[in-house]
């Protein structure tokens, strides 16, 4: 405290001390302004990060919703596929049964009819290709 009083009384009488006090005051103001700018940058960065978090949460929610819709669609298609496989197996069995009846008729009557062999359902002459989905296929408009 004594040095502050001495400095204050000295600065009134000595221009060198006045110059030092003026530099301290300018440096203090400069430091305050720098700290203020730093706080402003931090606040802006925090606001930007909060906005980014909100945008990412929104995107995440939309993607999760699309995944749910796609999963439901997949389950429905899998179920429909299982029904179609069961129907194909049933129709194959019916065809086998009809062919055996036809074979009995041919043998009994002596007709010369060429009865084709029935392929297994999993050996049908259709090409097996992956099902390609369009991006728009799973768009949710709700």
């Amino acid at each position: 405290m004594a040095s502050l009083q001495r400095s204050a009384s000295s600065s009134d009488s000595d221009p060198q001390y006045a110059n030092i006090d003026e530099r301290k005051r300018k440096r203090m103001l400069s430091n305050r302004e720098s700290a203020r700018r730093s706080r402003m940058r931090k606040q802006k960065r925090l606001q930007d990060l909060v906005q980014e978090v909100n945008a990412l949460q929104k995107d995440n929610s939309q993607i999760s919703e699309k995944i749910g819709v796609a999963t439901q669609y997949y389950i429905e298609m899998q179920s429909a596929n299982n029904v179609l496989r069961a129907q194909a197996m049933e129709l194959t069995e019916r065809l086998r049964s009809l062919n055996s009846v036809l074979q009995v008729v041919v043998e009994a009557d002596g007709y010369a009819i060429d009865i084709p062999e029935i392929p297994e359902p999993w050996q049908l002459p259709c090409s097996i290709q992956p099902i390609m989905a369009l991006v728009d296929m799973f768009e949710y408009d709700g």
Side-chain angles (χ1 to χ4, degrees), residues 1-2 9 11 24 30-31 42 45 53 64 72 74 80-81 90 93 95 97-99 130 139:
M1 183 108 176
S9 63
S11 65
K24 282 183 182 180
S30 174
N31 286 346
K42 284 181 182 179
R45 177 76 174 134
V53 164
S64 293
Q72 183 62 35
Y74 172 78
N81 193 20
E90 180 183 342
E93 285 304 314
L95 188 56
S97 176
L98 289 172
N99 275 349
E139 291 281 323

Side-chain angles (χ1 to χ4, degrees), residues 59-93:
D59 290 348
N60 191 21
S61 175
Q62 289 173 346
I63 290 170
S64 293
E65 192 172 317
K66 287 180 182 182
I67 287 172
V69 169
T71 300
Q72 183 62 35
Y73 183 76
Y74 172 78
I75 290 169
E76 290 170 6
M77 291 301 107
Q78 192 175 30
S79 176
N81 193 20
N82 289 339
V83 168
L84 290 173
R85 283 185 185 175
Q87 288 174 345
M89 290 177 69
E90 180 183 342
L91 291 172
T92 300
E93 285 304 314

Side-chain angles (χ1 to χ4, degrees), residues 65 138-142:
E65 192 172 317
F138 301 114
E139 291 281 323
Y140 180 73
D141 295 330

Side-chain angles (χ1 to χ4, degrees), residues 127-140:
S127 62
I128 298 175
Q129 296 178 355
I131 298 172
M132 303 304 280
L134 300 173
V135 173
D136 297 349
M137 181 178 220
F138 301 114
E139 291 281 323
Y140 180 73

Side-chain angles (χ1 to χ4, degrees), residues 4-60:
L4 287 176
Q5 288 175 349
R6 182 175 35 128
S7 148
S9 63
S10 299
S11 65
D12 294 339
S13 61
D14 192 0
Q16 180 182 5
Y17 286 117
N19 194 16
I20 291 173
D21 286 345
E22 180 64 21
R23 282 190 301 201
K24 282 183 182 180
R25 189 183 65 75
K26 283 183 180 179
R27 187 169 56 240
M28 186 173 65
L29 288 174
S30 174
N31 286 346
R32 283 181 185 166
E33 182 61 25
S34 177
R36 185 187 68 78
R37 287 191 310 263
S38 177
R39 286 190 303 274
M40 300 271 294
R41 281 193 306 270
K42 284 181 182 179
Q43 183 66 30
K44 174 74 170 113
R45 177 76 174 134
L46 179 62
Q47 289 171 350
D48 292 346
L49 289 173
V50 166
Q51 286 177 347
E52 186 177 354
V53 164
N54 290 336
L56 289 173
Q57 285 176 338
K58 181 182 175 186
D59 290 348
N60 191 21

Side-chain angles (χ1 to χ4, degrees), residues 81-127:
N81 193 20
N82 289 339
V83 168
L84 290 173
R85 283 185 185 175
Q87 288 174 345
M89 290 177 69
E90 180 183 342
L91 291 172
T92 300
E93 285 304 314
R94 283 184 184 178
L95 188 56
R96 278 199 181 114
S97 176
L98 289 172
N99 275 349
S100 66
V101 169
L102 187 58
Q103 185 69 37
V104 169
V105 169
V106 167
E107 290 174 2
D109 289 340
Y111 292 113
I113 299 176
D114 185 27
I115 302 172
E117 192 172 318
I118 303 168
E120 295 294 327
W122 54 87
Q123 296 173 343
L124 292 175
C126 61
S127 62

